[in-house]
Amino acid sequence: MIYQLLLIEDDPIFTFLLKKGIEAAALEGDIHNFLNGLTALEFLTKEYSKEVNYIIFLDLNMPVMNGWQFMEKFEKIASTENCMVFVLTSSAYQQDIDKLKEKPLVEEFVTKPITDFILKGIKKTVVAKFEN
């Protein structure tokens, strides 16, 4: 199955590495890059379809619109039926993790740097949800 993979991340080096990791994990889909939550939200507001499965890699700390602000708006248009959000952050604060666990769209909280092992686990999670 093909997915829409949204990389919402302001660090170009991390984005490059994430793309390479996604390829290595064979998580196939159309990849879209966004430097902040606002541009991603604008894209999703126009393009979101219940017929498409969305895998979103979301950084929490970004300029313009951060990950928290993005999630607040995105939750109003998205469904857990076709969306999975993997939150990427260098913050490992338990308070952040606890807040994210309350969000139905958030599948996992992933501390940077992300490894091939983690991406392969993410692929298994995606396949289990959307292909079984």
Side-chain angles (χ1 to χ4, degrees):
M1 181 173 285
I2 303 289
Y3 305 101
Q4 292 284 324
L5 301 165
L6 281 64
L7 313 182
I8 309 171
E9 167 66 58
D10 64 328
D11 181 339
I13 294 170
F14 183 77
T15 300
F16 174 80
L17 295 173
L18 182 56
K19 279 184 183 176
K20 291 294 181 190
I22 287 169
E23 290 170 10
L27 185 55
E28 297 179 16
D30 297 326
I31 297 177
H32 303 274
N33 296 328
F34 303 97
L35 295 175
N36 62 66
L38 182 60
T39 55
L41 190 62
E42 289 169 348
F43 170 82
L44 286 162
T45 300
K46 292 177 190 169
E47 302 292 328
Y48 182 82
S49 168
K50 293 200 183 277
E51 274 69 66
V52 175
N53 290 325
Y54 297 91
I55 312 305
I56 299 172
F57 294 90
L58 176 66
D59 185 20
L60 287 181
N61 299 312
M62 296 175 289
V64 184
M65 178 185 277
N66 66 32
W68 296 106
Q69 294 163 323
F70 170 83
M71 283 302 298
E72 185 179 312
K73 304 261 188 218
F74 184 57
E75 289 173 319
K76 294 176 183 171
I77 63 169
S79 167
T80 57
E81 297 295 314
N82 69 327
C83 295
M84 298 176 81
V85 177
F86 295 90
V87 177
L88 310 169
T89 185
S90 53
S91 167
Y93 295 117
Q94 189 62 44
Q95 181 180 356
D96 287 346
I97 295 169
D98 292 342
K99 276 187 195 176
L100 290 168
K101 286 179 181 175
E102 296 171 10
K103 306 270 184 200
L105 293 171
V106 173
E107 189 66 33
E108 283 184 44
F109 180 89
V110 182
T111 304
K112 294 177 185 177
I114 194 167
T115 64
D116 288 343
F117 178 77
I118 291 170
L119 283 166
K120 287 177 183 172
I122 286 173
K123 181 182 179 183
K124 286 180 184 176
T125 301
V126 167
V127 168
K129 179 171 182 168
F130 293 134
E131 296 184 23
N132 291 334

